[in-house]
Amino acid sequence: MSNDEKPRIGVYICHCGENIAGAVDVKAVAEFAKTLPDVVVVRDYLFMCSDPGQELIKQDIRDGLVNRVVVAACTPRTHEPIFRKACEDAGLNKYYFEMANIRDQCSWAHWHEKEKATEKAKAIVAAAVAKARLLEPLEDRYIELTKEVMVIGGGIAGIFAALDLANAGFKVHLVEKSPSIGGNMAKLDKTFPTNDCSACILTPLMVEVANHPNINLLTYSEVESVEGSVGNFKVKVRKKQTYVDWDKCTGCGACLDVCPPKARVPDEFNEGMSLRGAIYIPFPQAVPKKAVVDMDACIKCGGRDFSGKEPRLSKSGKPILAPCEKVCPTGAADRTPYRDPNGELVELNVGAIIVATGYKVMDKHHFKEFAPEHPNVITAMQMERLISATGPSEGKLIKPSEIPKLLEAKKKGEKVEVEKPHTITFISCVGSRDNRYHTYCSRVCCMYMLKQAMILKEKYPDLDIYIFFIDVRTPGKDFDEYYMRCRQLGIKIIKGRAGGIQPLPDDRLLVKGYDAEIGKPVEVVTDIAVLATAIEPNPTLKELARTLGINVGAEGFLKERHTKLYPVDTMTEGIFIAGCAQGPKDIPDSVAQAKAAAASAMSLLDPGKMTVEPLISEVNKEKCTGCGICVPLCPYGAISLVECEDGKKKSEINPALCKGCGVCTAACPSKAITLHGFTYDQVLAQIKTIARWPEIPAE
Amino acid sequence: MIESEEGVPNVLNLSEIAEREREEDERVVEIVREFGAENLIYCMQCGSCAAVCPLARVGFEWYNKKLIKALLLGMKEELLDDPTPWACVACNRCTEVCPRQVSPFEVMFAVRRMMVEEFAIPTLAIEGLRALYEYGHAVYMTGREARKKVGLPEKPPSTDSDEQALKDLKTILKNTKLAKLGLIPMND
Ligand SMILES: Cc1cc2nc3c(=O)[nH]c(=O)nc-3n(C[C@H](O)[C@H](O)[C@H](O)COP(=O)(O)OP(=O)(O)OC[C@H]3O[C@@H](n4cnc5c(N)ncnc54)[C@H](O)[C@@H]3O)c2cc1C
Ligand code: SF4
Ligand code: SF4
Ligand code: SF4
Ligand code: SF4
């Protein structure tokens, strides 16, 4: 079928059940469509996208009845690909297809104005027909895909995404901003709903990541810039300066406790409940197990930083070394060589990106009503550290206010008596379901409060444990059974979120609440109060999203392309999301999403090449004057001025980068740029039809 | 402060309640479980039982659901003067609807047993026990005179008029905890 054949247009009008037919008189639109120029067939059907509906179109094409197709229906956003494919299957170039949106932009918008809706539908159909008369056949393009993937974030989600891809033979670059992978799960003691030890199930996976031949692990690194598009992203990753020679560091840990007191800062891994030195390894099971120097904390012992100075000599002629240098048996902590504070820039070329940067928990200091300055008011994440064997008290349950005493004694090798709690009180929804902070439910706190209470009660049956809930939410597999187990243990569930905490003179805390089940205010005198503070997006997530060109939702988490149908995709093709970066969720869900994202990246990249719509812009070199106006306008950097044979500079568009946005087309003063599928003539024909309505322009 | 009517303070200090349990070395939940309400710990406070309970409908304060919660919190002393458990009509509607198979009715009766142990029994209940021992009827029909007048035997044809049966009943009752508690005279 050549393109100079006179157009014979088929118009197919969909009822969309009642969605269109409920407001638009479909029969009237059909009758009207028959009067339009070049229209030879008009049909309507209950669901045009159904098999029999599509068959109507295909049969007319096969019979040679029509050579241009207009479907008046829901929206091209979801259905244009379906009808294009139907045209192609029947042997018609699929770009001889045009869609008239009479549902989203007509029937739904004018549901209560049947007559006007019908009139508008006619105009929309007429405009589509006007454009269809001028359609040209186009050929699909292909781009080569790089079979490598970058995973950002090395929590449980990033770990699984990386492993699945690597096992399938894809090269993976795992970029983690902290010195070790593991994420928040590494801090947890045991994990609901099975109560298996977090480190026991996580550590082997971390080691597998480090040893995998297909994984390039980039810890202490952050993404700096991303260019290009699906199949061919060019990424710059900043490897931060570790100030320790990782080739030499064996992770022996000799340097961990040598920094002087002034260089000791709150330990992130223990949620600030203990101190670490400026030189540190984040936690005992860290992967890679290497030390880094935190330059903000380092006090430059021996008066020496890392700018390549030789050590000063003492009177006896011995070099004056910093404590870390002195103890390091391998010379990894050597301060003499110059180390660039900017670290190193690594360039990657990847076909797809998975973002799994996780979450942070809200700090207790926001909540003045809960006496946040009191050491025995802690967040639930701090409770995880308090009961963990790798925590500040090595898993012994003590009052948090006693930790400094315990650590001091440990350092001196002495034994001390520390106070143990008798009562522990949990408070739910702190910062969640709260218009002042976050309107959403953090989804995991109900379960982890029950978990912590259960672990404690099973280990110390004499503990008196209270949990103040707005309501207990346990909608996961095996979750409600878990909750019932807690109740049976005698953990006291109070229905009502506590309203405040008052510190008592004896170092204890008075929790004031209300039990809706008894219908009375209640009070609990407690030794420890645990706040289930909300899960929040990482503070740097917005910036990362901007770098990647993906969106964040109102609450600051990454936005998926479609909540139900494309839950791990983003609006930018080739970029996927997984885990808590997308929204609060537990480990089972984070892992499921990670595997889904990995599978999506695989099915995208595995064919090695990909079809791209030819709906992009092209420069007519004859018309182009080389003014260059278009070059800086292109949001995708697809346009450049190149020298032609005659020595003149003309604009050229890189088809691999052009997204067909049309900015250049509209801006070119010489009308030298054509956006295929949306040519001047086509778009003007549409506009004229609408503008002169109800008159139908002849040509 | 306005004292609430039921002997339950306006503000419940849960720690004091727990402390009392610890001091007396007894757990209220375990006491009532011993007395037949072993499934109490499965209650999730859904409220189905209260929806059908006639006591809740007529305004008794500590109907099934609420009583269970109080027990789970360790309350006992606060409840001793409360008449609700004694008002339970044993209709067992609650047992039928409870999704956790708690048998709230059993809780009501277990609480009665706990109250009896503490001699916290309403006079009406003592009367009932006495009548049971004397005549074999907890709710005894008065009006022997009236029966005589209309030509009926003075005593109804039940345990009351069956000397052997009454004797047997008394023997049984003397062998129950009732005798040990000495709540009613059991002389003959
Ligand atoms: C107190 C508490 C207890 C919990 N208990 C349980 C439980 O028992 N069971 C359960 O199933 N779930 C539990 N959860 C939930 C669980 O922690 C999460 O589901 C899980 O950790 C999410 O994993 P993730 O990989 O998405 O995110 P994370 O674990 O947060 O990992 C994200 C990683 O990305 C890195 N990162 C962040 N930003 C960047 C960046 N810009 N560039 C590079 N890297 C970056 C971070 O350093 C981190 O390593 C609990 C949560 C809390 C708060
Ligand atoms: S002492 Fe040296 S080798 Fe050991 S952990 Fe520290 S830097 Fe690494
Ligand atoms: S999971 Fe539970 S505690 Fe957390 S916000 Fe939701 S309802 Fe509140
Ligand atoms: S058996 Fe007692 S507690 Fe249960 S519904 Fe009947 S009156 Fe209420
Ligand atoms: S119906 Fe059962 S589970 Fe529900 S409140 Fe009553 S006893 Fe508890």
Side-chain angles (χ1 to χ4, degrees), chain A residues 47 131 264 360 494 556 675 683:
Chain A
F47 290 107
K131 182 180 174 191
R264 297 178 75 76
K360 70 178 260 291
I494 313 295
L675 173 54
V683 175

Side-chain angles (χ1 to χ4, degrees), chain A residues 6 84 86-87 156 162 172 191 212 257 326 368 381 390 436 466 488 547 556 561 590 607 623 632 644 691:
Chain A
K6 192 174 156 36
R84 276 200 184 140
C87 293
I156 189 63
V172 180
T191 49
H212 205 294
D257 285 319
K326 263 189 239 162
K368 301 297 178 218
M381 195 53 117
T390 58
R436 295 164 300 175
Y466 298 86
Q488 287 156 39
T547 307
R561 187 186 295 176
S590 297
K623 287 190 183 170
C644 291

